[in-house]
Structures are given as C-alpha cells and as structure tokens.
Amino acid sequence: MSGTRMVTVLIADDEPLARERLRALLDHEPEFRLVGEATDGLEAVRMLRIHNPTIAILDIRLPGLDAFAVLRALGDRTRPAVILVTAHTDRAVEAFHAGAVDYLLKPFDTKRLRSALQRARAGPMRSRNPAGSSASATDGRIALRSNGRWIVMDSEDIELVLSANIHSEMITRNGVSLPVSESLGQLANRLPSDRFVRISRFAIVNLDAVCSVTPRTHGDQTLELRGGRTLTVSRTHRAEVLHRLNRLP
C-alpha cells in the first residue's frame, strides 16, 4: 500500500492450527505484515528481540515461558503492542495489568482480530481500573464481577446475558457461561447501547449475534443466535428489536 507504513506482526502459539488460522486472518489485512512465528515462550523472546515487531500476538499459555514471562524477559527494551490470546476468560485482568492492548477470546473472527490490530496500531493502552463499576465508552471493555473476582471482557465477545434472579448469567461467543453479580437491569445500563438490546424481561442480546427473527403467534418473535440458541422476543420489546436490527450497518 503506497504511502502507508507497513505494520509488522509476530505471532506466538504452540498450536499449529492456531498459527495457521492467524496467518489466514492476517492475509486479509494488507497493511499488516507477518514477520515471524514462535512455538514456545523462549523462541518468542528470541524472535521478538530479532524482529522488533510493531505488534506481538501471544497465546497466554505458551510452553516454557507463558506470555507474561515473555513480556518480563523483554525487560526495559522497547516492547511491541501486545495482543494476548486465550480460550479462557479468567486471565483478562492480569492481561491488562501486563500492558496488553487487547485480549482475544478464542475462537475469534476476522472482524474481532481487525479491531484488536487497529487498537494495537493506534498506540499504548490507556490506564484502566478493572475494579471499577463502569465500562469505558471508548474501548468497548466492561468489568464484571464473577465468582468473587473481576473479569475484564471486550463487549464484542459477549453474545447473550440472561436474568438469574438478582444476578445474571453471561454467555460468550464461544459458549462459556459466567455468573455475574449484577442484575439484568444494571447490565442493560452498562453494555454499549449501540450493540446490545433487551429482548424481554429475561434477556439481553448482542445484535451482531442475531442470525434470524421469526414471527410467532400472539405477537411474539423467535430470535435465533449464531451460537444456535433460540429466544423469545416479547411483544413489549418487539418494535425496538426490529428497529435496531434494521439499523445495523
């Protein structure tokens, strides 16, 4: 791309299929150039020092040295912008304390990776307080209290939130279910209003996760999510849900 500085990327993951998938996703991002792949923590440190990439995409559970040890091993040298990747939600707070610009929850798609790459290219992460009670309006992250600990999630990774009496159940895009110590009403006020909509007294959905809406008797609608779940849109919320879906880009 003429006139555009190429952004270099190094990936580290011990799973060949995971590296292959990242390569395939990066192939769709022409302004980013892959300069190396590492399969364990020690190799990641060595390659980061050799290539000095703009961005490093590191799986958290690398053999030898995990991603946090890799970052410590780099010392005070100039670090790349770091995107951490994992299949688990419970390392998010630690990831952000380590200075990661983003935290990708497997499996992720091209859109989610693109968002992380653009965030990494934009510069260092602003400071955050995971123990706070509000989500940032600018970066799409939300801090949630679950099982006695704080979890920092990217709102794009949340597919559905269900009512559980005075608490809630959050379900991620890869099917992980987490109890959340807030009511559905409280979360409705904190989740980004441009992407989440309440469909009934019992559920909030991510509009990006919706694949179909089917009319039912008595004015209700059946809503199907990409993850396979089907939910009822109540008559009270039907007009708002259809309006919001029609306005999606």
Side-chain angles (χ1 to χ4, degrees):
M1 296 179 67
S2 177
T4 302
R5 183 177 67 88
M6 186 65 70
V7 178
T8 55
V9 181
L10 186 140
I11 63 178
D13 197 306
D14 63 317
E15 299 179 4
L17 288 178
R19 296 195 305 276
E20 180 181 346
R21 186 165 183 273
L22 272 172
R23 283 197 304 272
L25 292 174
L26 285 167
D27 282 343
H28 296 285
E29 307 300 324
E31 68 269 42
F32 297 92
R33 179 169 63 90
L34 183 63
V35 294
E37 300 180 24
T39 61
D40 60 48
L42 290 172
E43 187 179 24
V45 173
R46 181 178 64 83
M47 296 187 73
L48 284 166
R49 288 171 174 165
I50 292 172
H51 295 288
N52 193 25
T54 312
I55 300 171
I57 304 176
L58 309 177
D59 186 81
I60 287 181
R61 293 186 174 182
L62 290 171
L65 300 176
D66 68 11
F68 303 114
V70 168
L71 296 179
R72 290 193 296 269
L74 291 178
D76 295 330
R77 63 178 283 115
T78 302
R79 291 185 183 180
V82 176
I83 299 169
L84 293 179
V85 179
T86 183
H88 308 277
T89 61
D90 60 355
R91 307 296 294 273
V93 173
E94 190 177 359
F96 295 125
H97 281 316
V101 298
D102 210 338
Y103 179 86
L104 293 180
L105 190 63
K106 295 179 179 179
F108 51 87
D109 55 17
T110 302
K111 178 182 176 182
R112 183 66 186 88
L113 176 63
R114 182 179 299 123
S115 172
L117 290 170
Q118 297 298 340
R119 184 175 290 141
R121 184 171 65 173
M125 181 188 67
R126 294 177 297 277
S127 60
R128 296 179 176 83
N129 178 12
S133 60
S134 64
S136 166
T138 58
D139 63 20
R141 289 176 173 81
I142 184 169
L144 301 165
R145 184 80 171 175
S146 177
N147 289 327
R149 70 188 191 278
W150 285 98
I151 295 174
V152 181
M153 293 286 298
D154 194 302
S155 60
E156 293 182 17
D157 290 329
I158 301 171
E159 179 176 272
L160 170 67
V161 185
L162 299 172
S163 176
N165 296 321
I166 62 173
H167 300 303
S168 303
E169 177 190 8
M170 185 190 73
I171 298 161
T172 69
R173 292 194 311 161
N174 62 351
V176 175
S177 175
L178 294 169
V180 177
S181 302
E182 291 181 65
S183 69
L184 201 67
Q186 290 172 316
L187 288 174
N189 292 327
R190 296 216 291 127
L191 289 165
S193 59
D194 61 331
R195 284 295 164 190
F196 287 84
V197 64
R198 192 157 185 169
I199 65 168
S200 69
R201 292 171 52 199
F202 310 104
I204 299 170
V205 300
N206 185 333
L207 291 166
D208 287 337
V210 176
C211 62
S212 71
V213 181
T214 305
R216 294 176 55 187
T217 57
H218 308 300
D220 291 341
Q221 307 275 333
T222 296
L223 182 149
E224 183 177 354
L225 302 184
R226 292 194 177 95
R229 287 177 177 261
T230 57
L231 302 162
T232 298
V233 180
S234 69
R235 283 173 291 174
T236 304
H237 295 85
R238 179 184 61 184
E240 175 65 14
V241 171
L242 294 177
H243 173 72
R244 297 283 301 283
L245 285 170
N246 286 332
R247 290 174 60 88
L248 283 177

